[in-house]
Amino acid sequence: MIKLGVVGLGKMGLSHFSIVNAHPDTKVTVCDATGFVVDGLVKYTKVNAYKDFDDLLEKEPLDAVMIVTPSKMHAGMVRKALEKGLHVFCEKPFCLDWKDSEELTKLAEEKGLVSQVGYHYRYVGAFQEMKRVVDSGALGEITHVLAEAYGPVVLRPKGSTWRTQRAEGGGCLYDYAAHAINLVNWYFGEPSGVSGTVLNSIFSADTDDEVYSTLLYPSGMSAHLSVNWSDESQRKMSTRITMTGTNGRMYADRQECQLYLREPVAALPEYQKGWNVRYTTDLTKEVNFYLRGEEYSAQIDDFVKAIIQKRVNTNNTFREAAATDKTIAMIIADKDRSPSNSRATPVVAATKKGWFSRK
Amino acid sequence: MDNLLFGDNQFFGVNHMSEEKARAQQMQFQNTSAIIDVLDAAYEEGVKTFMCTTHDRISEICDHVRANPAKYEGFQFYPCMPYAHKYNNAVTEHGMLGALNQFLPDDGLFKTALKGGMAVAKKDVEGLATILIDMEMKMFKGLSTPVIFLQNVVVDLLLGMGFYDAFKIFHDHVRAKYNAEAAYITMNMPMLLDALESVGIENPIICSNINKIGFRMCGGFDKYVETLRDRKVRAIAMSVFASGALKPDEAIKWVSELPNLKSICFGASSRRNIRSTRELVDKYFPVPAAV
């Protein structure tokens, strides 16, 4: 039985708690500074809870923690947990300063601890299939990639949580674009340069709502990033990757994988010349417990199993998340040195609060 | 409970096979009149139960049915609440308390809002939950809603957390206030049945994926079949065609032979598909089950 503490009970924290609590090999304790969530959980479930992180580390005999707090708090908490010798799962993005990410990666590796960051798209069947196809070389030389993510998060000029504050680690770049960047990193490694970055606000006063950038690779391959979390036309977050190579073209989203091959390849005998489509129904591996998508359960199961099996190679180690943090830093640096056409203020001005209107 | 229920995923851009198809359906049903046309076709084909989310646009359907009582005699709604995306996005934007505040009534229902505020202060989840259920049920006022579902995202979240009392709170409130049967949608049917029984809910109505290839039957295909065979449960099968991976004839034939299966929930965008599903159900699964 792995004794595990879930730290931070916001939306993602509660969801992770639910999944890991349903896992047959874990015994879970929770920790959150917000009294009403902790008290409610203690009253209605069998879980043991703490309101203070240091208390949790000191008093609870743990094997591992899941850090699901606002991004700004990750580095400090992860460091404390690693120093205590605990295996750590941290929500994405890993650290806001990539130097912290590198230091923590080193620390985890020195101590031989299992580390993982919550980039769950790497556990989506269609994106895993895309990885298999890329690695097989079936596409020939890949010349261009388009990585997109759209969704309806910030749709009006109001609302203020840590997610809408850049300094807290919120914003479209950290919240949405990080996933697309992490996938491109998974397929092709870190870019050697970044160009043409646009980080604009649409509705948010304090952070970016749209991210456009070009990642450049030594081979000459380029990857366009097109991300917008103020897009109401999407029912929920939609992430898609398209790639073009000398032997074909490939597209994947969470439901399906479409592959066009100019010529069939020996490495992928199940794919024929021309168009091939594989759906989530055959790409998805069964999980023991389902909440909001197999990928969330699969990633937590990978973390728990890695601890049990004493292997440190999860699909999203700190090292890989640090690479994503570095790419994010390159994007920010490019934005800062590029000639800017950024909007100084959101396109839609905040409405005034009147006595009789509550907007 | 009818042996065939009409679901609403296809009207709101939910398709587990393809995003492209989901978008095409969203365009097709952009105007509520297009949804009503398909519901009318379903009604005429004898499918008179509409199992639907509490999406804003459903309230327009409710208005239409209320305005034409003669035309929709015997038509029933099975509301499925909450419409999770509404809350999910609000929590992202406003934080948890902020979202709650946004959804509690503020249009003159001062007392209710106050009760809600106090509920948080006292950690009285029961008080809060019943207010939210009532808010979701408003749009169905005056219509027939004999079965009310708790949506899978919420059911499975509570299930994993071990918050089983919430199922009982839902069950009791739905019975007392709406004289309806409480029902649950889940992706983890065997585990949910254990949880419901542990809080004294016997022979529950549970809707879950049940299909020949075991797609999204979490806990395992064999466990599902065993549970249906050996336990007391009124099962509704959804995703019977496994998002199109199965041929309709073999899919319906297989599912209709399962013990304790009371009903099949399906979605369709055309009269032709509704009719062919109706015909297959008449052929393989003809006996309407009593609730």
Side-chain angles (χ1 to χ4, degrees):
Chain A
M1 213 37 116
I2 301 298
K3 293 183 286 301
L4 194 144
V6 175
V7 185
L9 295 170
K11 193 176 73 174
M12 206 65 218
L14 281 177
S15 170
H16 282 329
F17 164 55
S18 177
I19 292 169
V20 78
N21 196 46
H23 197 286
D25 300 321
T26 60
K27 169 94 181 73
V28 181
T29 305
V30 295
C31 176
D32 192 282
T34 319
F36 81 96
V37 177
V38 167
D39 292 349
L41 273 185
V42 169
K43 184 172 170 188
Y44 289 101
T45 73
K46 290 176 184 152
V47 76
N48 191 13
Y50 290 80
K51 287 180 188 167
D52 183 80
F53 180 60
D54 293 325
D55 254 11
L56 170 82
L57 291 189
E58 196 183 316
K59 294 178 185 158
E60 196 71 19
L62 296 173
D63 300 304
V65 286
M66 295 181 80
I67 305 292
V68 204
T69 51
S71 314
K72 194 177 79 170
M73 299 163 84
H74 290 174
M77 292 179 136
V78 169
R79 186 183 309 278
K80 277 186 183 174
L82 290 174
E83 281 167 354
K84 187 97 186 157
L86 304 181
H87 305 288
V88 180
F89 177 103
C90 180
E91 243 319 304
K92 47 72 50 173
F94 184 23
C95 302
L96 299 183
D97 181 343
W98 65 271
K99 291 189 199 87
D100 285 333
S101 313
E102 298 234 307
E103 277 176 30
L104 295 173
T105 300
K106 243 189 254 164
L107 186 58
E109 287 176 353
E110 274 165 21
K111 288 182 169 267
L113 294 166
V114 176
S115 68
Q116 191 171 351
V117 174
Y119 285 108
H120 59 265
Y121 277 103
R122 288 196 187 188
Y123 291 88
V124 171
F127 292 119
Q128 287 180 336
E129 181 64 2
M130 182 170 248
K131 170 76 173 158
R132 194 173 75 93
V133 173
V134 168
D135 289 351
S136 77
L139 286 170
E141 190 187 331
I142 296 168
T143 59
H144 186 68
V145 175
L146 174 61
E148 300 168 279
Y150 308 109
V153 179
V154 178
L155 297 175
R156 57 193 72 79
K158 67 169 184 178
S160 181
T161 69
W162 69 267
R163 276 176 204 281
T164 56
Q165 312 282 327
R166 165 59 79 79
E168 300 283 319
C172 180
L173 175 61
Y174 286 117
D175 203 70
Y176 259 44
H179 281 294
I181 295 164
N182 180 264
L183 282 174
V184 175
N185 280 168
W186 189 31
Y187 299 138
F188 306 106
E190 290 175 51
S192 50
V194 170
S195 144
T197 298
V198 175
L199 291 181
N200 266 350
S201 72
I202 299 171
F203 300 113
S204 295
D206 301 310
T207 192
D208 49 279
D209 296 322
E210 56 181 354
V211 177
Y212 307 106
S213 192
T214 306
L215 312 182
L216 306 167
Y217 283 79
S219 65
M221 189 194 87
S222 58
H224 274 151
L225 203 59
S226 174
V227 183
N228 179 339
W229 77 354
S230 298
D231 181 353
E232 200 192 52
S233 73
Q234 309 293 313
R235 194 174 63 90
K236 57 181 185 177
M237 184 180 183
S238 305
T239 302
R240 45 187 98 138
I241 308 274
T242 312
M243 38 183 86
T244 316
T246 50
N247 193 42
R249 178 184 176 88
M250 187 177 202
Y251 170 92
D253 60 32
R254 78 185 302 281
Q255 308 288 17
E256 63 182 323
C257 202
Q258 301 175 351
L259 174 64
Y260 182 92
L261 287 180
R262 292 177 65 180
E263 293 301 331
V265 288
L268 298 174
E270 67 275 37
Y271 284 105
Q272 60 178 0
K273 181 180 164 128
W275 280 109
N276 301 266
V277 187
R278 293 191 70 190
Y279 294 103
T280 179
T281 35
D282 32 83
L283 295 171
T284 303
K285 289 188 204 101
E286 190 180 301
V287 291
N288 215 33
F289 177 76
Y290 180 104
L291 178 63
R292 300 172 60 204
E294 284 87 358
E295 58 273 24
Y296 296 100
S297 302
Q299 78 170 356
I300 285 180
D301 185 57
D302 190 18
F303 179 63
V304 172
K305 290 243 168 72
I307 297 171
I308 294 170
Q309 296 161 359
K310 299 187 184 352
R311 66 172 158 85
V312 289
N313 59 334
T314 62
N315 194 3
N316 267 307
T317 58
F318 283 178
R319 179 162 292 282
E320 305 212 36
T324 299
D325 288 346
K326 256 163 101 177
T327 307
I328 289 173
M330 287 169 85
I331 290 171
I332 294 171
D334 180 58
K335 189 253 173 187
D336 290 343
R337 70 174 169 260
S338 298
S340 171
N341 71 337
S342 295
R343 285 183 280 272
T345 50
V347 284
V348 182
T351 41
K352 279 184 188 165
K353 274 187 193 167
W355 287 104
F356 301 102
S357 68
R358 290 185 55 199
K359 291 256 169 125
Chain B
M1 199 153 58
D2 291 339
N3 61 350
L4 194 55
L5 314 174
F6 198 56
D8 73 345
N9 270 351
Q10 68 282 4
F11 298 142
F12 300 117
V14 183
N15 186 292
H16 299 296
M17 196 80 155
S18 141
E19 302 267 11
E20 256 170 74
K21 199 167 172 201
R23 192 163 49 247
Q25 285 173 331
Q26 229 179 341
M27 289 179 203
Q28 184 186 346
F29 295 110
Q30 185 136 278
N31 297 316
T32 304
S33 63
I35 300 179
I36 289 170
D37 287 347
V38 174
L39 285 178
D40 286 351
Y43 184 85
E44 283 155 25
E45 297 296 331
V47 185
K48 296 182 178 179
T49 303
F50 185 34
M51 190 166 154
C52 57
T53 51
T54 49
H55 193 289
D56 286 343
R57 290 187 60 205
I58 292 292
S59 62
E60 294 171 46
I61 310 282
C62 291
D63 291 342
H64 176 77
V65 173
R66 255 190 303 266
N68 300 279
K71 189 176 166 194
Y72 295 101
E73 205 194 326
F75 193 82
Q76 297 181 327
F77 288 88
Y78 283 6
C80 308
M81 65 174 64
Y83 180 63
H85 284 296
K86 179 170 70 180
Y87 294 96
N88 194 20
N89 291 335
V91 170
T92 308
E93 203 179 344
H94 302 282
M96 274 200 284
L97 271 182
L100 203 53
N101 207 23
Q102 208 193 6
F103 287 110
L104 285 174
D106 62 356
D107 50 349
L109 295 166
F110 179 70
K111 264 175 115 175
T112 324
L114 186 67
K115 191 181 161 200
M118 281 166 65
V120 175
K122 292 191 323 201
K123 291 113 192 167
D124 179 1
V125 172
E126 186 163 350
L128 203 57
T130 53
I131 291 172
L132 291 174
I133 295 168
D134 294 346
M135 296 282 291
E136 297 272 315
M137 282 302 291
K138 263 188 190 168
M139 68 174 78
F140 299 100
K141 198 166 186 335
L143 297 166
S144 170
T145 55
V147 180
I148 301 172
F149 285 86
L150 198 57
Q151 277 280 17
N152 57 299
V153 174
V154 174
V155 167
D156 292 332
L157 178 72
L158 297 167
L159 179 65
M161 296 196 324
F163 190 169
Y164 301 162
D165 286 344
F167 301 135
K168 183 74 175 149
I169 292 169
F170 179 73
H171 178 268
D172 291 348
H173 187 65
V174 156
R175 286 209 159 175
K177 178 133 188 195
Y178 300 97
N179 194 25
E181 287 256 16
Y184 307 84
I185 309 175
T186 182
M187 295 289 163
N188 309 284
M189 190 268 274
M191 187 178 169
L192 177 67
L193 182 59
D194 290 340
L196 292 174
E197 286 182 355
S198 79
V199 291
I201 300 172
E202 281 174 15
N203 196 21
I205 300 173
I206 301 182
C207 177
S208 62
N209 274 24
I210 300 180
N211 53 64
K212 198 179 174 182
I213 59 167
F215 178 59
R216 292 212 171 122
M217 293 165 66
C218 301
F221 181 85
D222 294 341
K223 183 89 179 160
Y224 266 65
V225 174
E226 197 184 296
T227 303
L228 287 169
R229 193 186 57 218
D230 301 337
R231 307 277 297 270
K232 274 187 81 179
V233 58
R234 287 172 286 170
I236 299 172
M238 61 177 183
S239 229
V240 167
F241 307 124
S243 301
L246 285 162
K247 294 237 168 14
D249 191 285
E250 67 164 328
I252 300 269
K253 181 175 189 303
W254 182 83
V255 85
S256 68
E257 288 165 2
L258 293 168
N260 280 327
L261 193 87
K262 301 295 181 201
S263 192
I264 293 168
C265 178
F266 80 111
S269 302
S270 70
R271 180 186 291 265
R272 191 166 57 95
N273 287 343
I274 295 168
R275 180 176 295 165
S276 64
T277 304
R278 171 84 265 173
E279 283 168 358
L280 285 171
V281 169
D282 287 344
K283 180 177 166 193
Y284 293 116
F285 189 53
V287 188
V291 171

